Amino acid sequence: MKKTITLAQGNGGAENHALIKEIFWRHLGNEILDRGEDAAVLEALERPAFTTDSFTISPLFFPGGDIGKLSVCGTCNDLAMMGAQPRYLSLSVVIEEGFELRMLEKIVRSIKKELPHNDALIVSGDTKVVPRGTVDGLFITTSGIGERRCEGIGISQIQPGDAIVVSRDIGRHGAAIFAAREGMELESALESDCASLWPQVASLLEAGIKPHALRDATRGGLAAVLNEWAEANNLCIEVEEEEIPVSNEVRGICELLGFEPAFLANEGTFVLALDPADVPLALEILEAFPGGEEAMRIGEVKGDYPGKVVLNSPWGTRRFLDWPTGELLPRIC
Amino acid sequence: MNLTLKNLYDDFRDPKTIKALAELITQEAEKLDRPVNIMEVCGGHTHTIMKYGLKQLLPEKIRFIHGPGCPVCIMPKERIDHAYILAQQPDVILVTLGDMIKVPGSKGSLQQARSQGADVRFVYSPLDALKIARENPEKRVIFFAIGFETTTPMTAALIDRAEKLGVTNLLYHINHVTVPEVMRELIDSRDEHIDSYNNRIDAFIGPSHVSVIAGAKIYREFPERYGRPVVVSGFEPVDVMEGVLMLVRQFTQGRCELEIQYRRSVTMEGNLSAQRQIDKFFEKRELFKWRGLGNIPHSALKLREAYAHLDAEKVYGEQLPVEEIEDHKLCICGDILRGMAEPTECQVFGTACTPSKPLGSCMVSSEGACAAYYKYGDLLQRRSDR
């Protein structure tokens, strides 16, 4: 018989302690976590950055990752996008009664595997078990503290003339989740781009590149990042449709369902606004990472239509690339 | 060579071909002695024209009028209320296609019904409703069927399959509408507004997917009886541009004909077996109310009497209201669907009415003219601006 999580394992008593010890501490243990205190006592960081994120995803396991990997990548990437090296994470897990213990262990192993890419540790955690039907399997919240390695990265630093670069092809996470969720029988090797981005950012900073802004294009995709940047600075970002890298698999799913690749989520793709002179070296550095051979300069910051993103087609027409809105639903015909 | 999806669209978005077609249309249009107003009947064409910025490539003399061909936009509030009420019946799962769940009725949208606890699901294919019905034998599954000639055969196939498998917990609320009747209405009506509009339509671009099923023959009456040429076109930019070129050439050569641009799948006769299956289950309704356009005779389908026991409109007849509901006073979706107004002429366009909080149906559907204008903007109206 399958071993499943029971409400008793969230009671704060012996069963709860056993679950934490056998699953979480066993895989994620380190000097700070092992102390088992109410709060982690950390060494002081010089220029700290702090962030938090909750992860609810269906299905929990998808091609290219799972909720565990995602919960580490998501929070560490938010730190990396501020030029901060991820250091310490907290991990809060809400588990539905009846969840398979084997699956929980698989998720925790996946967390363990992703941490070293960021050089980060889980130093604090919490586990709750809730009655069946009150959550969809398992929810994770991770918070993270990082140490900034570069000053002056932020939305307000974007200026006219900046080049816009994407670190790899877009839309993979959203398309992979859609395909997995809807049981679309696609014969393709489409995987989520789910990955930690600190290694890329660290390499850029080490090479002396100082990006003006960085943003991982998660929910809302490339379109949301560009619109956020354009709106915040009242500048126009102009991108060339032909230069935006999209894999054939992602384009295929978009064609079938009437989506735009720029609206689909990514979990290991980021957008950079930087001095045009830095672009060749940045692309050379990004190319060394998985998927980075697709890294492209896709446009630049201008002033024509303040607060808007303009998309130029290969046949000379122009249109706005707007914010994605509402629930992504397939077109009817 | 393995055929991939990419092969199917790559050539039809080739920049050189699009530019060459734009050049040919411009040369041809120089011979016109007056502007030509082309109605793209289908929202899919509106979407293509806006998304790919095709208007910007065309000369002043070529004008597009956006037509009533979006199954979501034309659905009156009464019918959406039916869906909303059905979704809230005990032990019912309401199933429909994509965008439909966002359209506001007078009580709310299906999305809102879902947030209040109703079991509303969207599917990619009507046949998915069969799977849901079989997986939930203790529930009654109602398929809220929408769409033009394109999606009707899929509903017919669903009914056929469910009948053969003996599935008894699947009912249907039929809202299938037909293209030629609404086109005829736009030209034929003596309504004061529509009559003035009548003077504006010079030609039609017909949607290819409708004719894959129903054949190009459904448009014969327009060149023959009404003097309006029709070209049945595909939805890729090259298709639309070639369709426009074919229409302009008819004018410069003094012809008025029904032509097929989308020869890769459209024939005059269409898919006869699909047509037979549609006839088996459906018959014409006397009247069907189109949002913004009013009642149009014989413009929609209903289940035949033999299948009355599967008809949710009859089974739940007592719960479903029949009174007509007015649209929002400030919303001009009706004029937009008739081609009398452009979305930007609406007072509430982009302010009180946006895709995330639509007042009118043209803003809801991704096929809707307002949504296309809002989403893509209309940056460069004409090539001369470039």
Side-chain angles (χ1 to χ4, degrees):
Chain A
M1 204 175 132
K2 284 176 192 165
K3 283 188 187 165
T4 54
I5 296 283
T6 62
L7 279 175
Q9 283 170 308
N11 64 358
E15 295 93 334
N16 190 203
H17 183 65
L19 175 73
I20 292 169
K21 212 169 144 188
E22 284 160 28
I23 302 274
F24 293 97
W25 286 4
R26 182 153 70 87
H27 291 294
L28 306 175
N30 56 65
E31 201 190 321
I32 303 171
L33 189 69
D34 292 349
R35 288 179 201 143
E37 299 288 356
D38 271 359
V41 177
L42 310 172
E43 63 172 274
L45 301 181
E46 264 188 29
R47 290 177 296 182
F50 179 56
T51 188
T52 188
D53 211 342
S54 296
F55 299 86
T56 67
I57 188 165
S58 173
L60 294 172
F61 297 86
F62 50 84
D66 59 60
I67 190 169
K69 181 181 181 185
L70 195 62
S71 68
V72 174
C73 294
T75 289
C76 289
N77 289 350
D78 284 348
L79 293 169
M81 293 301 107
M82 290 305 290
Q85 181 191 346
R87 296 289 303 274
Y88 305 115
L89 300 185
S90 72
L91 175 73
S92 178
V93 188
V94 179
I95 314 167
E96 184 184 20
E97 176 190 18
F99 195 78
E100 269 188 59
L101 210 60
R102 192 172 57 90
M103 291 300 161
L104 179 64
E105 193 156 7
K106 205 172 159 189
I107 290 165
V108 174
R109 277 208 186 98
S110 171
I111 292 173
K112 178 187 182 181
K113 201 171 154 197
E114 197 58 28
L115 286 167
H117 295 297
N118 296 283
D119 217 3
L121 300 173
I122 301 282
V123 293
S124 176
D126 182 47
T127 310
K128 293 279 186 301
V129 179
V130 293
R132 189 186 275 271
T134 48
V135 297
D136 186 8
L138 173 138
F139 294 166
I140 297 180
T141 301
T142 47
S143 300
I145 302 177
E147 192 157 26
R148 280 184 298 147
R149 301 293 184 204
C150 178
E151 289 290 329
I153 296 179
I155 297 178
S156 62
Q157 302 302 309
I158 299 170
Q159 44 198 273
D162 274 3
I164 303 292
V165 166
V166 284
S167 67
R168 61 168 299 168
D169 57 313
I170 61 164
R172 280 182 173 267
H173 182 71
I177 293 298
F178 237 99
R181 189 181 296 165
E182 304 304 334
M184 289 172 71
E185 288 154 17
L186 296 170
E187 285 183 27
S188 82
L190 179 62
E191 282 194 350
S192 164
D193 58 339
C194 184
S196 293
L197 296 171
W198 172 246
Q200 277 105 309
V201 175
S203 299
L204 291 168
L205 298 179
E206 277 160 25
I209 292 177
K210 189 184 163 193
H212 297 161
L214 299 170
R215 183 60 59 96
D216 52 341
T218 53
R219 274 180 311 164
L222 174 67
V225 173
L226 297 179
N227 274 287
E228 208 173 319
W229 285 0
E231 211 173 286
N233 295 294
N234 209 28
L235 290 165
C236 174
I237 296 180
E238 205 161 303
V239 290
E240 304 299 321
E241 193 168 6
E242 223 173 4
E243 305 299 327
I244 299 174
V246 184
S247 70
N248 285 339
E249 292 96 335
V250 170
R251 205 178 284 287
I253 286 181
C254 286
E255 285 300 318
L256 279 173
L257 302 175
F259 295 153
E260 287 207 46
F263 290 176
L264 294 181
N266 308 275
E267 287 295 346
T269 304
F270 65 112
V271 192
L272 304 86
L274 71 175
D275 191 311
D278 288 335
V279 171
L281 181 58
L283 291 176
E284 197 186 311
I285 290 165
L286 291 170
E287 268 171 24
F289 291 91
E293 61 280 5
E294 301 290 332
M296 282 294 279
R297 176 194 171 125
I298 58 167
E300 66 178 295
V301 180
K302 289 189 173 176
D304 294 2
Y305 296 89
K308 289 284 193 183
V309 180
V310 172
L311 189 72
N312 293 325
S313 81
W315 45 87
T317 61
R318 313 171 81 191
R319 65 159 164 109
F320 291 134
L321 178 66
D322 196 23
W323 287 92
T325 53
E327 191 181 346
L328 270 187
L329 292 165
R331 280 170 65 190
I332 285 166
C333 58
Chain B
M1 184 184 89
N2 284 333
L3 191 66
T4 66
L5 209 57
K6 192 171 183 295
N7 301 127
L8 291 176
Y9 62 72
D10 245 15
D11 289 348
F12 304 104
R13 291 180 200 168
D14 174 46
K16 274 189 201 154
T17 315
I18 294 171
K19 283 179 183 167
L21 282 164
E23 204 48 51
L24 283 172
I25 293 168
T26 306
Q27 286 169 17
E28 202 66 30
E30 279 169 16
K31 300 179 205 162
L32 292 169
D33 51 8
R34 65 174 181 88
V36 171
N37 298 312
I38 300 171
M39 172 174 269
E40 79 275 4
V41 182
C42 173
H45 281 143
T46 309
H47 193 82
T48 300
I49 289 163
M50 296 302 295
K51 179 172 177 182
Y52 299 104
L54 301 183
K55 268 164 85 171
Q56 297 162 30
L57 296 174
L58 296 173
E60 283 279 0
K61 280 182 185 166
I62 309 297
R63 296 175 185 168
F64 287 114
I65 301 174
H66 313 305
C70 163
V72 174
C73 300
I74 58 91
M75 197 64 64
K77 281 186 180 171
E78 298 87 318
R79 308 292 292 182
I80 298 157
D81 284 358
H82 281 195
Y84 187 94
I85 291 164
L86 289 172
Q88 289 181 327
Q89 298 303 308
D91 297 322
V92 159
I93 302 174
L94 189 101
V95 178
T96 192
L97 297 173
D99 275 356
M100 198 63 227
I101 75 165
K102 293 193 283 189
V103 193
S106 73
K107 297 172 190 300
S109 66
L110 286 171
Q111 214 164 24
Q112 284 162 326
R114 192 174 61 183
S115 72
Q116 288 157 9
D119 195 345
V120 176
R121 305 184 192 181
F122 78 83
V123 291
Y124 297 94
S125 154
L127 286 175
D128 295 340
L130 185 60
K131 192 170 164 240
I132 295 172
R134 297 181 84 182
E135 283 170 358
N136 296 278
E138 75 292 353
K139 297 273 178 81
R140 204 171 227 180
V141 175
I142 302 176
F143 181 61
F144 189 75
I146 60 160
F148 285 87
E149 286 86 340
T150 326
T151 51
T152 316
M154 293 193 284
T155 307
L158 168 66
I159 303 170
D160 191 49
R161 186 81 64 89
E163 288 290 279
K164 281 179 181 151
L165 290 169
V167 174
T168 54
N169 62 329
L170 183 55
L171 303 186
Y172 311 90
H173 188 284
I174 303 297
N175 301 277
H176 286 298
V177 284
T178 51
V179 173
E181 284 71 19
V182 70
M183 288 168 65
R184 199 183 301 146
E185 175 76 12
L186 292 176
I187 297 178
D188 242 359
S189 168
R190 288 299 129 207
D191 173 279
E192 188 192 339
H193 281 299
I194 299 175
D195 193 34
S196 61
Y197 165 68
N198 174 24
N199 298 323
R200 290 180 59 191
I201 296 181
D202 296 310
F204 290 105
I205 285 193
S208 57
H209 53 8
V210 163
S211 287
V212 168
I213 306 297
K217 64 184 179 202
I218 59 169
Y219 303 116
R220 263 189 195 131
E221 61 185 298
F222 297 98
E224 288 172 8
R225 194 172 147 213
Y226 298 102
R228 262 75 169 191
V230 177
V231 172
V232 177
S233 289
F235 291 96
E236 292 296 335
V238 166
D239 291 324
V240 174
M241 293 295 276
E242 193 185 8
V244 170
L245 179 62
M246 289 166 74
L247 277 174
V248 178
R249 281 191 170 145
Q250 288 206 32
F251 282 95
T252 57
Q253 293 168 4
R255 293 182 287 121
C256 179
E257 294 166 15
L258 166 62
E259 291 185 296
I260 302 170
Q261 177 277 332
Y262 195 81
R263 294 200 168 272
R264 41 197 201 275
S265 334
V266 171
T267 60
M268 249 338 149
E269 292 309 312
N271 182 336
L272 295 174
S273 81
Q275 291 167 27
R276 273 194 297 274
Q277 199 160 41
I278 291 168
D279 282 345
K280 181 178 167 191
F281 295 107
F282 302 116
E283 60 185 349
K284 290 269 184 182
R285 281 177 198 266
E286 286 295 304
L287 278 179
F288 187 83
K289 185 182 166 192
W290 292 54
R291 193 164 187 170
L293 298 175
N295 286 304
I296 303 179
H298 312 298
S299 63
L301 303 176
K302 62 179 180 182
L303 277 170
R304 287 187 181 278
E305 199 52 41
Y307 303 97
H309 60 292
L310 303 175
D311 192 338
E313 267 185 88
K314 291 188 172 148
V315 174
Y316 288 92
E318 286 182 12
Q319 278 89 353
L320 302 178
V322 291
E323 300 82 41
E324 296 205 352
I325 303 166
E326 291 296 314
D327 282 328
H328 193 284
K329 281 196 182 106
L330 291 175
C331 172
I332 60 162
C333 279
D335 285 348
I336 292 164
L337 290 170
R338 288 193 199 105
M340 291 190 51
E342 294 233 329
T344 45
E345 291 172 45
C346 179
Q347 279 184 54
V348 288
F349 174 79
T351 52
C353 183
T354 62
S356 50
K357 211 176 169 197
L359 279 184
S361 52
C362 296
M363 189 60 97
V364 177
S365 162
S366 53
E367 310 282 301
C370 294
Y373 271 69
Y374 184 90
K375 196 168 164 194
Y376 302 125
D378 197 8
L379 281 182
L380 293 180
Q381 291 279 346
R382 299 288 166 193
R383 59 189 305 161
S384 54
D385 295 349
R386 282 188 291 140

